[in-house]
């Protein structure tokens, strides 16, 4: 069973910044790790993916690369840098593994999520 632990979600004002982190029980040299979010009453939306095998990030077109993802110094951590936050970014952000690497936004395992709330 893959274990994923997220941190960094907070309440911030519009225009503010946050850094989310995820630590996983997998070796990122061989797997992909990233984020999706889910707003109240909404579906899952891919945010960013780090491909361990490709050693590079991938982003869904809808996100327009707003939130850069990076790999931490260790073998099993990724970070999501969130700047210029808007109220519509309010959601639970989940760290997730991917069924087919970063080539497909299909999720295998995810953590408990971290709440990001952007106040207007």
């Amino acid at each position: 069973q893959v274990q994923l632990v997220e941190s960094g979600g907070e309440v911030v004002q519009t225009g503010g910044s946050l850094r989310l982190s995820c630590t996983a029980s997998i070796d990122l040299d061989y797997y992909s790790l990233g984020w999706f979010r889910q707003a109240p009453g909404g579906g899952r939306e891919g945010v960013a993916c780090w491909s361990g095998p490709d050693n590079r990030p991938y982003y869904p077109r809808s996100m327009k690369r707003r939130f850069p993802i990076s790999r931490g110094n260790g073998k099993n951590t990724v970070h999501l840098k969130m700047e210029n936050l808007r109220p519509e970014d309010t959601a639970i952000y989940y760290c997730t593994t991917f069924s087919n690497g970063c080539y497909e936004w299909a999720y295998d395992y995810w953590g408990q999520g971290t709440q990001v709330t952007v106040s207007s």
Side-chain angles (χ1 to χ4, degrees), residues 61-95:
R61 289 186 179 182
S62 60
M63 289 301 298
K64 301 178 182 178
R65 303 190 179 200
R66 282 189 60 212
F67 302 142
I69 189 171
S70 61
R71 180 172 177 175
N73 291 330
K75 284 188 174 293
N76 59 353
T77 302
V78 293
H79 305 291
L80 189 71
K81 184 178 181 181
M82 307 174 72
E83 296 182 328
N84 297 316
L85 285 161
R86 310 164 185 165
E88 53 265 39
D89 294 318
T90 295
I92 299 175
Y93 285 71
Y94 295 89
C95 181

mmCIF file of all heavy atoms in Angstrom, residues 61-95:
data_model
loop_
_atom_site.group_PDB
_atom_site.id
_atom_site.type_symbol
_atom_site.label_atom_id
_atom_site.label_comp_id
_atom_site.label_asym_id
_atom_site.label_seq_id
_atom_site.Cartn_x
_atom_site.Cartn_y
_atom_site.Cartn_z
ATOM 1 N N ARG A 61 -3.302 21.124 -19.618
ATOM 2 C CA ARG A 61 -3.446 22.406 -20.319
ATOM 3 C C ARG A 61 -4.329 23.366 -19.549
ATOM 4 O O ARG A 61 -4.100 24.569 -19.554
ATOM 5 C CB ARG A 61 -4.018 22.164 -21.707
ATOM 6 C CG ARG A 61 -3.043 21.508 -22.645
ATOM 7 C CD ARG A 61 -3.613 21.418 -24.044
ATOM 8 N NE ARG A 61 -2.674 20.804 -24.966
ATOM 9 C CZ ARG A 61 -2.915 20.642 -26.263
ATOM 10 N NH1 ARG A 61 -4.064 21.041 -26.777
ATOM 11 N NH2 ARG A 61 -2.006 20.081 -27.024
ATOM 12 N N SER A 62 -5.329 22.842 -18.877
ATOM 13 C CA SER A 62 -6.274 23.710 -18.175
ATOM 14 C C SER A 62 -5.603 24.528 -17.080
ATOM 15 O O SER A 62 -6.072 25.609 -16.738
ATOM 16 C CB SER A 62 -7.402 22.873 -17.574
ATOM 17 O OG SER A 62 -6.880 21.934 -16.652
ATOM 18 N N MET A 63 -4.511 24.029 -16.525
ATOM 19 C CA MET A 63 -3.864 24.743 -15.430
ATOM 20 C C MET A 63 -2.876 25.781 -15.918
ATOM 21 O O MET A 63 -2.427 26.623 -15.148
ATOM 22 C CB MET A 63 -3.155 23.752 -14.503
ATOM 23 C CG MET A 63 -4.088 22.898 -13.668
ATOM 24 S SD MET A 63 -5.178 23.874 -12.606
ATOM 25 C CE MET A 63 -4.001 24.701 -11.563
ATOM 26 N N LYS A 64 -2.478 25.720 -17.179
ATOM 27 C CA LYS A 64 -1.584 26.722 -17.775
ATOM 28 C C LYS A 64 -0.301 26.899 -16.973
ATOM 29 O O LYS A 64 0.253 28.000 -16.880
ATOM 30 C CB LYS A 64 -2.311 28.062 -17.910
ATOM 31 C CG LYS A 64 -3.556 27.981 -18.761
ATOM 32 C CD LYS A 64 -4.285 29.312 -18.840
ATOM 33 C CE LYS A 64 -5.554 29.197 -19.659
ATOM 34 N NZ LYS A 64 -6.303 30.475 -19.720
ATOM 35 N N ARG A 65 0.142 25.814 -16.357
ATOM 36 C CA ARG A 65 1.408 25.818 -15.604
ATOM 37 C C ARG A 65 1.435 26.868 -14.504
ATOM 38 O O ARG A 65 2.491 27.430 -14.187
ATOM 39 C CB ARG A 65 2.596 26.034 -16.540
ATOM 40 C CG ARG A 65 2.668 25.007 -17.634
ATOM 41 C CD ARG A 65 3.955 25.091 -18.395
ATOM 42 N NE ARG A 65 4.020 24.063 -19.433
ATOM 43 C CZ ARG A 65 5.124 23.637 -19.999
ATOM 44 N NH1 ARG A 65 6.286 24.126 -19.616
ATOM 45 N NH2 ARG A 65 5.093 22.728 -20.945
ATOM 46 N N ARG A 66 0.302 27.122 -13.919
ATOM 47 C CA ARG A 66 0.240 28.163 -12.871
ATOM 48 C C ARG A 66 1.035 27.791 -11.647
ATOM 49 O O ARG A 66 1.615 28.647 -10.984
ATOM 50 C CB ARG A 66 -1.217 28.409 -12.482
ATOM 51 C CG ARG A 66 -1.994 29.256 -13.452
ATOM 52 C CD ARG A 66 -3.337 29.593 -12.849
ATOM 53 N NE ARG A 66 -3.184 30.338 -11.605
ATOM 54 C CZ ARG A 66 -4.014 30.258 -10.574
ATOM 55 N NH1 ARG A 66 -5.046 29.438 -10.632
ATOM 56 N NH2 ARG A 66 -3.823 30.979 -9.492
ATOM 57 N N PHE A 67 1.016 26.496 -11.299
ATOM 58 C CA PHE A 67 1.652 26.062 -10.066
ATOM 59 C C PHE A 67 2.796 25.102 -10.383
ATOM 60 O O PHE A 67 2.572 23.917 -10.618
ATOM 61 C CB PHE A 67 0.622 25.367 -9.168
ATOM 62 C CG PHE A 67 -0.575 26.222 -8.824
ATOM 63 C CD1 PHE A 67 -1.846 25.648 -8.757
ATOM 64 C CD2 PHE A 67 -0.451 27.577 -8.568
ATOM 65 C CE1 PHE A 67 -2.957 26.416 -8.425
ATOM 66 C CE2 PHE A 67 -1.551 28.358 -8.250
ATOM 67 C CZ PHE A 67 -2.806 27.775 -8.181
ATOM 68 N N PRO A 68 4.018 25.568 -10.346
ATOM 69 C CA PRO A 68 5.149 24.701 -10.662
ATOM 70 C C PRO A 68 5.325 23.585 -9.636
ATOM 71 O O PRO A 68 5.200 23.810 -8.426
ATOM 72 C CB PRO A 68 6.348 25.647 -10.623
ATOM 73 C CG PRO A 68 5.787 27.013 -10.778
ATOM 74 C CD PRO A 68 4.438 26.970 -10.146
ATOM 75 N N ILE A 69 5.631 22.407 -10.138
ATOM 76 C CA ILE A 69 5.922 21.274 -9.269
ATOM 77 C C ILE A 69 7.404 20.990 -9.368
ATOM 78 O O ILE A 69 8.024 21.128 -10.435
ATOM 79 C CB ILE A 69 5.092 20.033 -9.662
ATOM 80 C CG1 ILE A 69 5.242 18.923 -8.627
ATOM 81 C CG2 ILE A 69 5.436 19.547 -11.068
ATOM 82 C CD1 ILE A 69 4.284 17.747 -8.832
ATOM 83 N N SER A 70 7.993 20.613 -8.249
ATOM 84 C CA SER A 70 9.409 20.301 -8.234
ATOM 85 C C SER A 70 9.643 19.119 -7.317
ATOM 86 O O SER A 70 8.823 18.801 -6.442
ATOM 87 C CB SER A 70 10.225 21.510 -7.770
ATOM 88 O OG SER A 70 9.860 21.881 -6.454
ATOM 89 N N ARG A 71 10.785 18.495 -7.531
ATOM 90 C CA ARG A 71 11.140 17.364 -6.687
ATOM 91 C C ARG A 71 12.013 17.864 -5.547
ATOM 92 O O ARG A 71 12.886 18.716 -5.736
ATOM 93 C CB ARG A 71 11.892 16.329 -7.502
ATOM 94 C CG ARG A 71 12.297 15.106 -6.712
ATOM 95 C CD ARG A 71 12.857 14.037 -7.604
ATOM 96 N NE ARG A 71 13.319 12.896 -6.834
ATOM 97 C CZ ARG A 71 13.767 11.767 -7.356
ATOM 98 N NH1 ARG A 71 13.797 11.621 -8.677
ATOM 99 N NH2 ARG A 71 14.172 10.780 -6.593
ATOM 100 N N GLY A 72 11.779 17.327 -4.377
ATOM 101 C CA GLY A 72 12.582 17.674 -3.229
ATOM 102 C C GLY A 72 13.943 17.017 -3.284
ATOM 103 O O GLY A 72 14.256 16.265 -4.204
ATOM 104 N N ASN A 73 14.754 17.290 -2.281
ATOM 105 C CA ASN A 73 16.113 16.762 -2.272
ATOM 106 C C ASN A 73 16.164 15.256 -2.058
ATOM 107 O O ASN A 73 17.101 14.596 -2.500
ATOM 108 C CB ASN A 73 16.938 17.454 -1.180
ATOM 109 C CG ASN A 73 17.201 18.901 -1.497
ATOM 110 O OD1 ASN A 73 17.284 19.286 -2.653
ATOM 111 N ND2 ASN A 73 17.311 19.723 -0.466
ATOM 112 N N GLY A 74 15.146 14.736 -1.401
ATOM 113 C CA GLY A 74 15.122 13.303 -1.151
ATOM 114 C C GLY A 74 14.570 12.540 -2.332
ATOM 115 O O GLY A 74 14.295 13.087 -3.393
ATOM 116 N N LYS A 75 14.386 11.251 -2.181
ATOM 117 C CA LYS A 75 13.895 10.420 -3.278
ATOM 118 C C LYS A 75 12.381 10.350 -3.343
ATOM 119 O O LYS A 75 11.835 9.767 -4.275
ATOM 120 C CB LYS A 75 14.456 9.009 -3.121
ATOM 121 C CG LYS A 75 15.909 8.878 -3.507
ATOM 122 C CD LYS A 75 16.328 7.438 -3.507
ATOM 123 C CE LYS A 75 17.736 7.266 -4.022
ATOM 124 N NZ LYS A 75 17.844 7.609 -5.443
ATOM 125 N N ASN A 76 11.689 10.925 -2.372
ATOM 126 C CA ASN A 76 10.262 10.657 -2.302
ATOM 127 C C ASN A 76 9.423 11.876 -1.931
ATOM 128 O O ASN A 76 8.372 11.724 -1.321
ATOM 129 C CB ASN A 76 10.004 9.545 -1.295
ATOM 130 C CG ASN A 76 10.512 9.902 0.095
ATOM 131 O OD1 ASN A 76 11.172 10.917 0.268
ATOM 132 N ND2 ASN A 76 10.194 9.086 1.072
ATOM 133 N N THR A 77 9.858 13.074 -2.303
ATOM 134 C CA THR A 77 9.130 14.291 -1.959
ATOM 135 C C THR A 77 8.951 15.189 -3.175
ATOM 136 O O THR A 77 9.879 15.338 -3.972
ATOM 137 C CB THR A 77 9.868 15.086 -0.867
ATOM 138 O OG1 THR A 77 10.022 14.261 0.289
ATOM 139 C CG2 THR A 77 9.085 16.330 -0.477
ATOM 140 N N VAL A 78 7.753 15.765 -3.291
ATOM 141 C CA VAL A 78 7.525 16.796 -4.303
ATOM 142 C C VAL A 78 6.905 18.008 -3.636
ATOM 143 O O VAL A 78 6.268 17.897 -2.580
ATOM 144 C CB VAL A 78 6.604 16.319 -5.452
ATOM 145 C CG1 VAL A 78 7.278 15.241 -6.277
ATOM 146 C CG2 VAL A 78 5.249 15.871 -4.947
ATOM 147 N N HIS A 79 7.092 19.157 -4.276
ATOM 148 C CA HIS A 79 6.544 20.409 -3.774
ATOM 149 C C HIS A 79 5.728 21.079 -4.865
ATOM 150 O O HIS A 79 6.027 20.946 -6.058
ATOM 151 C CB HIS A 79 7.668 21.355 -3.342
ATOM 152 C CG HIS A 79 8.603 20.764 -2.340
ATOM 153 N ND1 HIS A 79 8.231 20.478 -1.041
ATOM 154 C CD2 HIS A 79 9.894 20.369 -2.452
ATOM 155 C CE1 HIS A 79 9.250 19.968 -0.394
ATOM 156 N NE2 HIS A 79 10.271 19.874 -1.225
ATOM 157 N N LEU A 80 4.716 21.811 -4.439
ATOM 158 C CA LEU A 80 3.886 22.569 -5.377
ATOM 159 C C LEU A 80 3.926 24.029 -4.953
ATOM 160 O O LEU A 80 3.513 24.368 -3.841
ATOM 161 C CB LEU A 80 2.443 22.050 -5.344
ATOM 162 C CG LEU A 80 1.514 22.583 -6.418
ATOM 163 C CD1 LEU A 80 1.893 22.004 -7.783
ATOM 164 C CD2 LEU A 80 0.063 22.238 -6.087
ATOM 165 N N LYS A 81 4.433 24.866 -5.815
ATOM 166 C CA LYS A 81 4.562 26.290 -5.522
ATOM 167 C C LYS A 81 3.347 27.023 -6.071
ATOM 168 O O LYS A 81 3.125 27.047 -7.277
ATOM 169 C CB LYS A 81 5.838 26.844 -6.165
ATOM 170 C CG LYS A 81 6.131 28.291 -5.845
ATOM 171 C CD LYS A 81 7.442 28.711 -6.501
ATOM 172 C CE LYS A 81 7.785 30.149 -6.188
ATOM 173 N NZ LYS A 81 9.049 30.561 -6.850
ATOM 174 N N MET A 82 2.580 27.605 -5.173
ATOM 175 C CA MET A 82 1.325 28.255 -5.552
ATOM 176 C C MET A 82 1.438 29.754 -5.282
ATOM 177 O O MET A 82 1.609 30.164 -4.130
ATOM 178 C CB MET A 82 0.163 27.649 -4.766
ATOM 179 C CG MET A 82 0.095 26.132 -4.877
ATOM 180 S SD MET A 82 -1.151 25.379 -3.815
ATOM 181 C CE MET A 82 -2.635 25.890 -4.660
ATOM 182 N N GLU A 83 1.346 30.549 -6.321
ATOM 183 C CA GLU A 83 1.429 32.004 -6.188
ATOM 184 C C GLU A 83 0.216 32.650 -6.849
ATOM 185 O O GLU A 83 -0.478 32.033 -7.659
ATOM 186 C CB GLU A 83 2.724 32.520 -6.815
ATOM 187 C CG GLU A 83 3.976 32.017 -6.112
ATOM 188 C CD GLU A 83 5.256 32.569 -6.708
ATOM 189 O OE1 GLU A 83 5.281 32.818 -7.927
ATOM 190 O OE2 GLU A 83 6.227 32.761 -5.950
ATOM 191 N N ASN A 84 -0.018 33.908 -6.489
ATOM 192 C CA ASN A 84 -1.150 34.670 -7.046
ATOM 193 C C ASN A 84 -2.460 33.883 -6.938
ATOM 194 O O ASN A 84 -3.207 33.747 -7.903
ATOM 195 C CB ASN A 84 -0.873 35.028 -8.507
ATOM 196 C CG ASN A 84 0.342 35.933 -8.650
ATOM 197 O OD1 ASN A 84 0.494 36.889 -7.891
ATOM 198 N ND2 ASN A 84 1.198 35.617 -9.595
ATOM 199 N N LEU A 85 -2.702 33.358 -5.767
ATOM 200 C CA LEU A 85 -3.876 32.524 -5.554
ATOM 201 C C LEU A 85 -5.167 33.318 -5.687
ATOM 202 O O LEU A 85 -5.231 34.507 -5.344
ATOM 203 C CB LEU A 85 -3.791 31.855 -4.183
ATOM 204 C CG LEU A 85 -2.793 30.695 -4.121
ATOM 205 C CD1 LEU A 85 -2.403 30.389 -2.682
ATOM 206 C CD2 LEU A 85 -3.383 29.459 -4.794
ATOM 207 N N ARG A 86 -6.168 32.616 -6.206
ATOM 208 C CA ARG A 86 -7.482 33.216 -6.446
ATOM 209 C C ARG A 86 -8.536 32.443 -5.663
ATOM 210 O O ARG A 86 -8.324 31.269 -5.340
ATOM 211 C CB ARG A 86 -7.831 33.133 -7.929
ATOM 212 C CG ARG A 86 -6.753 33.642 -8.865
ATOM 213 C CD ARG A 86 -7.011 33.157 -10.280
ATOM 214 N NE ARG A 86 -5.940 33.517 -11.199
ATOM 215 C CZ ARG A 86 -5.779 32.974 -12.403
ATOM 216 N NH1 ARG A 86 -6.640 32.066 -12.840
ATOM 217 N NH2 ARG A 86 -4.779 33.361 -13.173
ATOM 218 N N PRO A 87 -9.669 33.048 -5.374
ATOM 219 C CA PRO A 87 -10.722 32.317 -4.655
ATOM 220 C C PRO A 87 -11.112 31.010 -5.349
ATOM 221 O O PRO A 87 -11.432 30.026 -4.659
ATOM 222 C CB PRO A 87 -11.884 33.317 -4.645
ATOM 223 C CG PRO A 87 -11.209 34.652 -4.650
ATOM 224 C CD PRO A 87 -10.010 34.472 -5.527
ATOM 225 N N GLU A 88 -11.065 30.959 -6.658
ATOM 226 C CA GLU A 88 -11.431 29.734 -7.372
ATOM 227 C C GLU A 88 -10.396 28.616 -7.228
ATOM 228 O O GLU A 88 -10.639 27.487 -7.671
ATOM 229 C CB GLU A 88 -11.677 30.013 -8.863
ATOM 230 C CG GLU A 88 -10.544 30.728 -9.570
ATOM 231 C CD GLU A 88 -10.745 32.233 -9.633
ATOM 232 O OE1 GLU A 88 -11.230 32.822 -8.631
ATOM 233 O OE2 GLU A 88 -10.389 32.816 -10.680
ATOM 234 N N ASP A 89 -9.272 28.922 -6.621
ATOM 235 C CA ASP A 89 -8.285 27.877 -6.302
ATOM 236 C C ASP A 89 -8.623 27.154 -4.999
ATOM 237 O O ASP A 89 -7.942 26.185 -4.634
ATOM 238 C CB ASP A 89 -6.881 28.478 -6.190
ATOM 239 C CG ASP A 89 -6.372 29.026 -7.506
ATOM 240 O OD1 ASP A 89 -6.580 28.364 -8.548
ATOM 241 O OD2 ASP A 89 -5.773 30.120 -7.499
ATOM 242 N N THR A 90 -9.636 27.626 -4.311
ATOM 243 C CA THR A 90 -10.060 26.976 -3.068
ATOM 244 C C THR A 90 -10.498 25.553 -3.350
ATOM 245 O O THR A 90 -11.367 25.305 -4.186
ATOM 246 C CB THR A 90 -11.214 27.764 -2.425
ATOM 247 O OG1 THR A 90 -10.729 29.053 -2.034
ATOM 248 C CG2 THR A 90 -11.750 27.026 -1.206
ATOM 249 N N ALA A 91 -9.858 24.604 -2.670
ATOM 250 C CA ALA A 91 -10.140 23.185 -2.893
ATOM 251 C C ALA A 91 -9.324 22.365 -1.908
ATOM 252 O O ALA A 91 -8.456 22.894 -1.213
ATOM 253 C CB ALA A 91 -9.761 22.782 -4.320
ATOM 254 N N ILE A 92 -9.632 21.084 -1.882
ATOM 255 C CA ILE A 92 -8.743 20.140 -1.206
ATOM 256 C C ILE A 92 -7.736 19.665 -2.254
ATOM 257 O O ILE A 92 -8.129 19.232 -3.344
ATOM 258 C CB ILE A 92 -9.506 18.955 -0.613
ATOM 259 C CG1 ILE A 92 -10.519 19.447 0.423
ATOM 260 C CG2 ILE A 92 -8.532 17.976 0.042
ATOM 261 C CD1 ILE A 92 -11.407 18.359 0.982
ATOM 262 N N TYR A 93 -6.481 19.744 -1.924
ATOM 263 C CA TYR A 93 -5.412 19.325 -2.827
ATOM 264 C C TYR A 93 -4.886 17.970 -2.355
ATOM 265 O O TYR A 93 -4.473 17.820 -1.208
ATOM 266 C CB TYR A 93 -4.292 20.368 -2.844
ATOM 267 C CG TYR A 93 -4.686 21.603 -3.634
ATOM 268 C CD1 TYR A 93 -5.635 22.489 -3.128
ATOM 269 C CD2 TYR A 93 -4.136 21.865 -4.884
ATOM 270 C CE1 TYR A 93 -6.029 23.607 -3.858
ATOM 271 C CE2 TYR A 93 -4.512 22.984 -5.610
ATOM 272 C CZ TYR A 93 -5.457 23.841 -5.097
ATOM 273 O OH TYR A 93 -5.845 24.950 -5.816
ATOM 274 N N TYR A 94 -4.909 17.030 -3.276
ATOM 275 C CA TYR A 94 -4.506 15.667 -2.954
ATOM 276 C C TYR A 94 -3.196 15.321 -3.662
ATOM 277 O O TYR A 94 -3.069 15.548 -4.875
ATOM 278 C CB TYR A 94 -5.576 14.666 -3.407
ATOM 279 C CG TYR A 94 -6.892 14.776 -2.688
ATOM 280 C CD1 TYR A 94 -7.890 15.625 -3.145
ATOM 281 C CD2 TYR A 94 -7.136 14.015 -1.547
ATOM 282 C CE1 TYR A 94 -9.115 15.717 -2.492
ATOM 283 C CE2 TYR A 94 -8.354 14.101 -0.881
ATOM 284 C CZ TYR A 94 -9.334 14.963 -1.366
ATOM 285 O OH TYR A 94 -10.533 15.040 -0.702
ATOM 286 N N CYS A 95 -2.288 14.751 -2.926
ATOM 287 C CA CYS A 95 -1.097 14.174 -3.534
ATOM 288 C C CYS A 95 -1.479 12.802 -4.063
ATOM 289 O O CYS A 95 -2.192 12.039 -3.402
ATOM 290 C CB CYS A 95 0.001 14.062 -2.491
ATOM 291 S SG CYS A 95 1.545 13.386 -3.138
#
